[in-house]
Amino acid sequence: MSARITGSAFLLGDDVNTDINCSNKYLPGKDVAYVAQHAFEQLSPGIATRICASGGAILVAGEHFGINSSREQATHVLHQMNVRAIVARSFGRQFFRNAINNGLAVFECDTSAIKEGQPLELDLAGGHLLSAGKILQTTHPLPAEILAILSMGGLVPFLQKYPDWNFA
């Protein structure tokens, strides 16, 4: 994953629970590809089709994206949909950690001025997002360790390359 991520903005609201919107919990027996075709339908009908057709999306949400979300499957569904990153005012902590562990970039900033379909350029290392000529700063810069994990595609590939690495 590059430290710079580009894509079109796809808007969702506050309190998006990915357990409801991105898991087979309510679609038993269905695989990740099937769930990806129907993700977020209750929040924005047709959004999965629009995201898949976009060539690369950045989801934009309000407060608490991933609230009450414990399922790692959500990140697999989002990757399947070609979601490159998620920008939100805040994240559910368990979702945030699952995203990092699975190589999905997350970025916290004020999202109120971002419009649907707007091209976005996210600079993870610099801690800012370029949106309609305006620079939005992150409220919580990602530490170098998290940037390294994201650059490797997630925690497992990172630890495979650096098996003796520790947080001390």
Side-chain angles (χ1 to χ4, degrees):
M1 168 180 292
S2 170
R4 288 198 182 268
I5 300 168
T6 60
S8 298
F10 288 86
L11 303 182
L12 297 171
D14 293 332
D15 303 315
V16 175
N17 183 329
T18 56
D19 277 0
I20 294 171
N21 291 285
C22 291
S23 79
N24 64 358
K25 179 179 180 178
Y26 299 104
L27 297 167
K30 301 299 182 184
D31 64 5
V32 169
Y34 182 85
V35 175
Q37 293 172 357
H38 302 282
F40 304 109
E41 281 297 311
Q42 294 174 335
L43 301 176
S44 179
I47 193 170
T49 301
R50 293 191 310 275
I51 288 173
C52 289
S54 73
I58 296 177
L59 284 183
V60 178
E63 297 284 345
H64 311 123
F65 185 90
I67 189 78
N68 298 326
S69 298
S70 61
R71 296 171 191 277
E72 206 170 305
Q73 181 188 28
T75 58
H76 303 294
V77 168
L78 292 164
H79 280 301
Q80 177 80 30
M81 294 171 71
N82 203 17
V83 170
R84 295 180 177 161
I86 303 169
V87 175
R89 284 192 294 269
S90 65
F91 290 90
R93 301 304 1 161
Q94 199 165 12
F95 175 84
F96 184 90
R97 193 67 232 174
N98 280 338
I100 299 299
N101 287 347
N102 288 282
L104 180 60
V106 287
F107 188 85
E108 291 182 333
C109 72
D110 178 10
T111 58
S112 60
I114 300 173
K115 306 290 185 232
E116 180 80 21
Q118 184 176 3
L120 301 175
E121 183 178 332
L122 179 59
D123 179 352
L124 292 175
H128 64 268
L129 173 72
L130 183 61
S131 168
K134 295 180 183 175
I135 296 177
L136 304 173
Q137 293 294 324
T138 183
T139 52
H140 296 95
L142 296 175
E145 295 83 0
I146 290 180
L147 292 173
I149 291 168
L150 287 171
S151 74
M152 296 291 302
L155 186 59
V156 170
F158 179 85
L159 291 174
Q160 287 171 336
K161 183 169 182 176
Y162 303 106
D164 297 326
W165 186 79
N166 65 53
F167 291 98

